[in-house]
Amino acid sequence: MYSLLFKSFFRTKIFLVSLVLLLTVGVISILIGKQYLVKQEKTIAAAQVFQEESIKKNVDYHSEDLGLLLYYLRFTLIKKPQNINAISIGQSDVNPLLQAVTIRGLEAQKYDTDFENPSLLMSGNLDLGFVIIYLFPLVLIAMTFNLYSEEKELGTWRILAAQTSGKAKFLFKKLLVRILFVFAVLIFLMFLASAMLQIPMNANFWAIFIQSVLYVMFWSALCFWMVTLLKNSSFNALALISIWVVLTILIPALVNNYVINAYQVPEALDAMVEQRDGYHEKWDLEKDATMTEFIKAYPQYKNYPVPEDEFSWIWYYGMQFMGDFAAKETSAEMTEKIMLRNTASEKIALFVPTMHSQLSFNSLAGTDMLSHLDFLKSLTEFHKNLREGFYTKIFDHKSANAVDWKKHEAKFYEQDYSFSWLKLLLPTLLITFIIGILAGLNLRKL
Amino acid sequence: MRKNVIQLLARQLWQDAFRSKVMLIASALMLCLLLFSAYSGWENYHDQNFTRDEIQDEVEESWENNPDKHPHRMAHYGSFALRLKHVLSVFDMGMENFVGNAVFLEAHKQNTVNFSEASMSTGLLRFGEVSLAMLLKVIVPLLIFYLGFGTIARERENGTLKLLIGQGITRKEIVFGKWLGLWSLSLVFLGAIFLVLLLFVLVESHDSMHTDSLLRYVVLLVAYLLFFGILSAITILVSAFSATAKGALVKLLGIWLLFVIIVPKSLQAMGFYLYPTPSKIEMETAVEHDLAEIGDSHDPNDPHFKAMKDSVLRVHNVENVEDLPFNYGGFVMSQGEAMSTKIYLKHQEDLYEVYGKQNNLERYSAFINPYTAIKNLSMAFSGTDFQSFLHFKDEAETYRFKLAQDMNQLQMDLIPNKGKEGPNTISSDYWKEFPPFEYHFLSISDVFKNELISLLALVLWGGLAILGLLRLSTNLKAI
C-alpha cells in the first residue's frame, strides 16, 4: 500500500517542484550562513590586528604620557561567534559582534553600530531558520490542500471508498507519505547545515533540530485538520494560505508594532545627551564637583593632588567617569525597556508557533536580543576592569613601559547558550496536539 | 466596446464578490488592520517625532548655555542630529526602523547614526511591520487574486462564458468589463486607506511642507492605482489562461509568493553575496592608513605638516608660529579636519557604492516584478527609503563639519598664539550665534530622480497589462 502511495506521489509535479525548491533555497540559505560566518571571522581577525598595531604605533608616540596614550587606545571585546549562529542570524546583523572602546566614557561608545546595508536588514537574512519557518509550511500546504478534494473533484473518491476498508486510514496514509517526504528534506538540510557550517552536534543543535521538527508537525496537523473539513480544493488553498499569511506575516508584525509602541525607548536618546552634558559641564565647574563623586566611587585615590589651575589626568578621567555616571540611571531604564519588549514578545509567542520558533531559533543560536544585552553588560564590566587597571598607573604619571601591552590583545566574551527544554518544546507540542485531536475527531465523521 | 455592457459586467463582478464570504471576511479584517495600522503608525510618528524634537531643542539649549570658553572645547562638546520622520512615514515605514535615529556630531570624528528601532527590538521585527502601505503592498494583492481567480476560469467551467458570447457580448467587452470590475473593487481598499492618509497629511503638514506632502501623496496614489490595475490585469490573464479555477488560484498564489517574498528576498541576499562589504573596523583601518600616508600631525618632523608650517611662515613672512597673525593651533586643526573628512567621505562613498550595487539587483528586477517597483516608489515618496536616510546623514555631516570648522576659525581669529598676551576663552555669545541643526527633507524632484527606474518599470508594466488584455480580447477561449 505505502509503496504504491509513494510511487504515485513521486509522479506528481508538486513533488518535483517542492523538492527542487526546498533543496535549492535550503542550500542557498546554508551558503548565506557560511558567508555570514566568514565575514565575522574576517572582522574579528581585522579587529585583532587593528588593536595590536594601534597599540604598537601609539605607544611609540606617547610613551612618556600614559594618560594621553590611553586617550587614543581602543580595546576590543568580541562576542565570540559560534557556527550555530549561521542557522538563525536573527538580531546579530543589527547588533555588532564586537566593540572597540577607549577607557573614556562608555555610554557614547557602547551603542556604536557596524556598517550594514539597511535594505538588507529590512528584507532580512535568508538563513535556514527562514526557510524552515516560511517555506516548509508552504510546501506542506501545496502538497496537502487537495489531498481529499482532488479525489472528490475527479470522481475517484467513490471508487476508492468502495475499494478500501478504511477511508480515513487511506487518507491518513496519503498524508503521511507527504509529511514523511517533508521531514526527510528537513532532516537532510539540518545535517547538511551541520556538516557545511561545521556545527557541533551539541544540545543547542539538537534543540533547533527538534524545534524544527515540531514546527513542521504543527503545520502538518493544521493541513490535516483542513483536509478533514472536506471542503473543495479552492477553499482549502485559500484558507490555508490565509492562515499562513496570518501566522507568518500578520500576527508577528502586529505584535511587533504593538510591542514597539507600547514600550517606546526615548531613554536611549536621553542617556546619550545626559552622558555628554555630564562630562562636558565639568570642564566649567570647580574641580571639586568632579572629584568628590569620583573619590566616592574610588576612595583609594583621595590623596592624589588635583591642582585647581592646571590640567591633570585624574581630573580628566574623573570627568569621563562622571559622564557615564550621569547617564547611568537612564541607561539602566533603557535596558529595562528592551527587556520588557523581549518578555512581552516571548509571552505572546507561546501561543503562536511561528513566533515561538523564530524567537527560540534566535535564542538557541545566540543571536537574540537578550544575548546582545548580555554582551553589553559584559562590555561594561570589561570597560570597568580596563579603567581600574590603568587608573593607578596613569595617576602615578607612569610611562607606557609600566604596562605589559602583550596582555592587552583583543578579548573574547563567552556567551551563555543555556536554555530550558520545557519552555522550548511544550508550546508547539501542545498546540500541535490540540489541532491533531480536532482533525482526528473530524476524521471519525468521514 | 459598449460602455453600458462593460459597466454591467463590472457591476456583476462586484455583486458576486459581495455575495461571497471572502469579501466579507476580507473587508472586516482589512478594516481592523486599517484601524490598527493607522493608529499605531500615527502614534509612532507622533511620539517619536515629539521625543526627537524635544531632545533636539534640549541639545540646542545646552549648547547655547555653555559659558565662555576656548572654542575648541565647544568643538568637542559637539552637538546631536536627530532624524525626523516625514508625515508620510505613517503610511510606509520603509527602512525607518532599520536606520539609526541619532548621531553625535563632534570634531575629528564621524560617528555612526545609532539607536535604530531594530537595534532595540526582538527578533519579531524580522517578520515585518504592519503599516498602511504594507496592507496595500502585501494583503490587497492577495485579495485581488482571491477575488479574481475565478472571474473567467469559473465562468468557462460553468459554461456561462459561452452563453455570454452567444448573447452578442464581445470578448473585448468581457475582458475589459471583468478587469474594470476587479480593479474598481480593489480601489475600495485603496480609497479607504488613502482617505485616512489624506487626513494625516492635512493635519500634520504646515505651510511650507503642505504642497510637498500633498504632491508626494498624489504620486503615491497614482502609483498604487496603476499597480492595482496591473495586478487586476494579471489576475484576469491568469484566470483566462487556466483550465480550471483551482488551477488559476494555485498559479496566482505562486505568483504572489514569488513577487512579494521569494524574489525580493533572494535577490537582496544574492546582491549581498556578490558584493561583500567591509566591516567598520576594516574601513576605519583603511581610513587611518590613508591619513597616515598623507602625514602625521603628532609627529613634529612629519614632512607634510612641516612643509605646511614652513609655507605658512613664508607667506606671512615670520620666523615662528607664535608670530603669526592668527592662532596656529586652530589653523592646523582646520587643515586636519578638512583632510580627514575628505578621506573619510571618500571611503564612505565607496561603501555606499557597494550598497548601491547590492540593491540594484533587486531594483532592476522591477522590470520582471512590479511589486519591487511599487515597493521602492512607496518608500521613496514616503521619505523612508535609503536615499532619504543618506540625505539626513549628509546634512548631519555637513553640519558637523561646519561646526568643527567654525570653531577652528574662531580659535584662529580670537585666541592668541602661545606665549602671547590675551584671553584663552571667548564669549558665549558666539555659541548663541551658531545656528541649530535643522533637517529638511529630500526635495520631491530628487525623489523623482532617485526612483526613475521604478517609475519607468511601473509604466512599462501598465502598458504590458493593457497589451495583454487586448491580446486576450482576440483569443479568449470560450470553452
Side-chain angles (χ1 to χ4, degrees):
Chain A
M1 181 72 188
Y2 273 116
S3 67
L4 210 66
L5 280 173
F6 268 113
K7 254 186 218 159
S8 70
F9 170 55
F10 289 155
R11 265 191 229 122
T12 56
K13 207 165 37 170
I14 192 73
F15 159 74
L16 205 69
V17 174
S18 306
L19 186 69
V20 172
L21 179 81
L22 284 184
L23 286 183
T24 354
V25 183
V27 170
I28 289 174
S29 72
I30 295 171
L31 286 174
I32 285 171
K34 182 102 196 160
Q35 193 196 16
Y36 166 80
L37 288 179
V38 168
K39 190 182 173 189
Q40 278 191 323
E41 269 165 34
K42 246 178 81 187
T43 309
I44 291 170
Q48 284 171 313
V49 173
F50 173 83
Q51 176 155 334
E52 207 187 313
E53 285 184 351
S54 111
I55 289 181
K56 216 186 287 163
K57 204 170 64 194
N58 281 293
V59 166
D60 280 349
Y61 286 139
H62 314 290
S63 61
E64 287 315 302
D65 192 345
L66 193 59
L68 185 64
L69 173 61
L70 285 164
Y71 175 92
Y72 291 109
L73 286 191
R74 297 207 293 167
F75 303 90
T76 315
L77 184 67
I78 302 164
K79 183 171 160 188
K80 197 174 180 180
Q82 302 248 335
N83 290 359
I84 200 167
N85 291 15
I87 289 189
S88 184
I89 295 171
Q91 287 296 89
S92 64
D93 54 354
V94 193
N95 298 317
L97 83 155
L98 60 84
Q99 285 296 18
V101 294
T102 67
I103 67 164
R104 287 177 273 156
L106 177 64
E107 204 60 33
Q109 312 177 60
K110 206 171 167 182
Y111 305 103
D112 275 354
T113 51
D114 207 328
F115 299 131
E116 288 296 346
N117 183 348
S119 313
L120 187 76
L121 293 181
M122 186 179 71
S123 74
N125 288 293
L126 188 74
D127 50 17
L128 190 58
F130 170 83
V131 175
I132 291 169
I133 289 172
Y134 280 76
L135 294 189
F136 271 83
L138 279 177
V139 166
L140 265 172
I141 291 172
M143 286 192 299
T144 55
F145 79 98
N146 58 359
L147 203 64
Y148 160 81
S149 50
E150 190 186 32
E151 308 257 10
K152 186 94 184 168
E153 279 150 24
L154 290 176
T156 45
W157 182 247
R158 277 165 186 276
I159 308 166
L160 268 167
Q163 282 176 349
T164 45
S165 50
K167 286 180 278 181
K169 223 183 215 165
F170 170 76
L171 214 53
F172 187 71
K173 277 181 186 162
K174 226 179 128 184
L175 180 80
L176 204 62
V177 165
R178 282 150 179 81
I179 293 176
L180 283 176
F181 158 72
V182 174
F183 275 120
V185 177
L186 175 70
I187 292 168
F188 170 74
L189 282 179
M190 283 306 266
F191 283 119
L192 187 70
S194 157
M196 280 173 71
L197 303 169
Q198 290 160 331
I199 299 168
M201 296 207 186
N202 55 17
N204 286 62
F205 174 77
W206 288 115
I208 289 187
F209 188 98
I210 295 171
Q211 178 64 44
S212 314
V213 169
L214 278 180
Y215 177 73
V216 174
M217 288 248 273
F218 159 75
W219 279 99
S220 311
L222 204 66
C223 291
F224 189 42
W225 173 74
M226 190 52 76
V227 168
T228 61
L229 291 179
L230 307 180
K231 303 275 189 190
N232 66 44
S233 299
S234 293
F235 178 87
N236 285 353
L238 226 141
L240 282 170
I241 287 289
S242 302
I243 293 176
W244 181 85
V245 169
V246 168
L247 284 183
T248 56
I249 300 178
L250 274 181
I251 293 186
L254 284 169
V255 172
N256 177 57
N257 276 31
Y258 163 74
V259 168
I260 283 185
N261 269 358
Y263 306 102
Q264 297 215 356
V265 200
E267 287 87 354
L269 306 178
D270 283 330
M272 174 183 81
V273 178
E274 280 170 13
Q275 193 252 356
R276 176 194 66 164
D277 289 357
Y279 154 57
H280 276 281
E281 70 182 4
K282 302 293 183 298
W283 281 94
D284 309 308
L285 296 177
E286 295 288 306
K287 294 197 170 167
D288 274 352
T290 308
M291 296 322 294
T292 322
E293 286 297 328
F294 184 69
I295 297 297
K296 221 187 260 173
Y298 293 104
Q300 61 266 46
Y301 301 120
K302 67 171 183 286
N303 292 328
Y304 281 75
V306 183
E308 193 56 52
D309 52 351
E310 202 181 313
F311 177 86
S312 66
W313 284 116
I314 188 167
W315 176 55
Y316 178 80
Y317 284 109
M319 290 195 289
Q320 291 287 348
F321 173 81
M322 289 309 292
D324 282 345
F325 190 74
K328 201 173 170 186
E329 248 170 64
T330 320
S331 176
E333 277 165 28
M334 168 188 168
T335 313
E336 189 90 349
K337 281 272 183 73
I338 296 175
M339 292 284 270
L340 277 176
R341 282 181 169 189
N342 209 67
T343 321
S345 309
E346 272 180 359
K347 272 196 186 137
I348 302 172
L350 292 179
F351 303 95
V352 188
T354 43
M355 287 163 62
H356 181 68
S357 298
Q358 177 73 74
L359 291 181
S360 49
F361 282 174
N362 285 355
S363 100
L364 289 167
T367 54
D368 59 332
M369 192 65 221
L370 287 187
S371 87
H372 183 65
L373 285 182
D374 219 40
F375 171 65
L376 287 184
K377 211 168 107 193
S378 105
L379 181 71
T380 312
E381 195 62 24
F382 171 75
H383 185 258
K384 183 168 173 265
N385 290 336
L386 272 176
R387 279 188 294 122
E388 291 174 357
F390 287 121
Y391 274 167
T392 317
K393 291 186 181 113
I394 298 173
F395 304 159
D396 284 336
H397 306 288
K398 291 271 170 56
S399 78
N401 301 330
V403 180
D404 182 6
W405 295 110
K406 281 206 187 68
K407 274 195 199 149
H408 288 283
E409 76 276 24
K411 293 278 193 302
F412 285 96
Y413 149 76
E414 287 289 346
Q415 215 173 323
D416 177 20
Y417 281 94
S418 63
F419 63 94
S420 135
W421 280 101
L422 195 70
K423 209 181 130 201
L424 180 74
L425 303 181
L426 202 58
T428 323
L429 206 58
L430 267 179
I431 295 175
T432 310
F433 192 63
I434 293 170
I435 299 174
I437 287 184
L438 286 178
L441 287 176
N442 281 341
L443 210 56
R444 279 171 50 191
K445 281 183 257 164
L446 195 76
Chain B
M1 280 200 286
R2 286 162 297 172
K3 210 172 145 197
N4 59 334
V5 175
I6 289 181
Q7 267 173 359
L8 201 72
L9 283 162
R11 199 175 314 135
Q12 187 218 344
L13 195 137
W14 272 64
Q15 278 164 352
D16 285 349
F18 278 101
R19 223 178 283 136
S20 79
K21 265 194 216 137
V22 178
M23 187 65 186
L24 199 75
I25 301 172
S27 305
L29 185 76
M30 279 297 287
L31 188 68
C32 294
L33 288 172
L34 181 133
L35 291 176
F36 178 86
S37 43
Y39 174 76
S40 77
W42 183 250
E43 274 284 290
N44 192 268
Y45 163 76
H46 241 245
D47 290 355
Q48 296 276 350
N49 262 8
F50 180 76
T51 313
R52 291 175 202 176
D53 249 337
E54 200 181 43
I55 293 180
Q56 191 77 66
D57 288 346
E58 216 177 281
V59 164
E60 177 56 20
E61 206 185 296
S62 61
W63 167 269
E64 285 179 6
N65 285 341
N66 267 286
D68 298 355
K69 59 170 88 172
H70 192 284
H72 193 62
R73 284 251 50 78
M74 284 308 275
H76 275 284
Y77 184 76
S79 186
F80 295 93
L82 288 120
R83 200 167 57 82
L84 285 184
K85 284 166 173 276
H86 194 281
V87 61
L88 283 165
S89 71
V90 176
F91 173 68
D92 193 335
M93 294 187 190
M95 288 174 196
E96 197 66 20
N97 286 340
F98 294 92
V99 294
N101 296 320
V103 55
F104 179 41
L105 310 170
E106 58 178 327
H108 320 309
K109 195 166 174 250
Q110 284 84 352
N111 291 308
T112 48
V113 189
N114 293 341
F115 303 111
S116 66
E117 268 307 320
S119 71
M120 299 187 283
S121 289
T122 62
L124 289 187
L125 193 62
R126 295 321 160 88
F127 287 104
E129 297 162 285
V130 178
S131 65
L132 293 171
M134 181 263 199
L135 299 181
L136 290 182
K137 283 189 291 194
V138 179
I139 308 295
V140 177
L142 200 57
L143 283 178
I144 294 178
F145 290 166
Y146 279 174
L147 292 168
F149 75 91
T151 42
I152 290 179
R154 193 173 289 141
E155 294 234 30
R156 189 163 42 214
E157 269 181 294
N158 297 341
T160 42
L161 195 62
K162 208 166 62 183
L163 275 175
L164 278 179
I165 294 170
Q167 280 172 348
I169 297 174
T170 66
R171 287 176 157 80
K172 208 172 183 181
E173 283 162 351
I174 295 174
V175 168
F176 278 87
K178 300 259 177 210
W179 175 58
L180 279 174
L182 189 59
W183 188 11
S184 56
L185 201 58
S186 70
L187 298 189
V188 174
F189 304 111
L190 185 76
I193 287 177
F194 268 82
L195 218 60
V196 174
L197 187 62
L198 184 64
L199 194 79
F200 289 149
V201 171
L202 291 180
V203 167
E204 194 52 28
S205 319
H206 313 289
D207 356 300
S208 61
M209 259 180 74
H210 225 112
T211 33
D212 174 78
S213 298
L214 273 177
L215 215 60
R216 283 167 180 255
Y217 174 88
V218 171
V219 176
L220 284 172
L221 183 62
V222 172
Y224 274 99
L225 270 173
L226 196 56
F227 178 58
F228 285 176
I230 294 164
L231 286 185
S232 305
I234 291 176
T235 316
I236 301 288
L237 284 165
V238 170
S239 185
F241 285 116
S242 298
T244 59
K246 186 196 94 185
L249 178 65
V250 172
K251 272 178 221 156
L252 285 167
L253 290 179
I255 289 177
W256 180 82
L257 277 172
L258 278 178
F259 275 3
V260 177
I261 299 187
I262 296 175
V263 170
K265 201 170 170 109
S266 2
L267 284 180
Q268 198 59 251
M270 203 148 94
F272 185 60
Y273 195 81
L274 291 176
Y275 308 103
T277 42
S279 62
K280 189 172 150 206
I281 201 114
E282 286 168 285
M283 191 178 123
E284 279 171 350
T285 313
V287 170
E288 265 185 34
H289 174 262
D290 283 4
L291 277 171
E293 290 270 283
I294 294 179
D296 187 344
S297 57
H298 296 309
D299 184 356
N301 297 319
D302 180 85
H304 175 83
F305 284 92
K306 196 166 180 306
M308 186 174 84
K309 186 165 122 187
D310 292 343
S311 73
V312 170
L313 292 178
R314 211 175 314 115
V315 167
H316 289 275
N317 212 7
V318 288
E319 284 290 309
N320 292 309
V321 289
E322 287 80 31
D323 301 326
L324 284 169
F326 53 83
N327 181 289
Y328 185 67
F331 174 75
V332 172
M333 220 94 76
S334 88
Q335 293 296 312
E337 189 69 64
M339 200 170 83
S340 66
T341 302
K342 200 172 142 204
I343 288 174
Y344 184 87
L345 289 183
K346 163 87 184 63
H347 279 271
Q348 195 180 301
E349 226 166 79
D350 291 347
L351 179 72
Y352 289 149
E353 212 166 283
V354 180
Y355 286 176
K357 279 184 195 157
Q358 290 177 348
N359 296 343
N360 272 346
L361 221 54
E362 199 202 338
R363 180 172 291 277
Y364 284 104
S365 78
F367 292 105
I368 53 160
N369 180 3
Y371 173 77
T372 298
I374 196 74
K375 186 175 122 190
N376 285 325
L377 280 175
S378 181
M379 282 197 297
F381 282 92
S382 301
T384 56
D385 63 334
F386 187 44
Q387 293 301 330
S388 304
F389 171 67
L390 280 192
H391 180 249
F392 162 77
K393 223 173 160 273
D394 285 348
E395 288 216 338
E397 168 57 24
T398 311
Y399 183 83
R400 185 199 72 81
F401 187 68
K402 185 172 158 32
L403 188 147
Q405 293 300 54
D406 276 17
M407 292 304 125
N408 287 332
Q409 192 63 46
L410 286 173
Q411 180 176 347
M412 280 170 70
D413 296 346
L414 302 170
I415 303 290
N417 272 311
K418 232 185 216 157
K420 292 277 154 123
E421 285 288 308
N424 206 26
T425 59
I426 62 172
S427 157
S428 63
D429 291 341
Y430 290 102
W431 326 144
K432 294 189 176 74
E433 271 169 29
F434 193 76
F437 175 74
E438 235 180 296
Y439 178 61
H440 302 283
F441 292 102
L442 210 56
S443 77
I444 192 155
S445 56
D446 284 334
V447 182
F448 269 113
K449 255 181 250 155
N450 291 335
E451 288 307 324
L452 220 55
I453 290 166
S454 310
L455 281 166
L456 194 69
L458 201 64
V459 170
L460 262 169
W461 268 98
L464 211 65
I466 298 286
L467 226 76
L469 291 176
L470 283 175
R471 230 186 117 82
L472 181 64
S473 305
T474 56
N475 57 11
L476 175 68
K477 285 196 189 77
I479 315 164

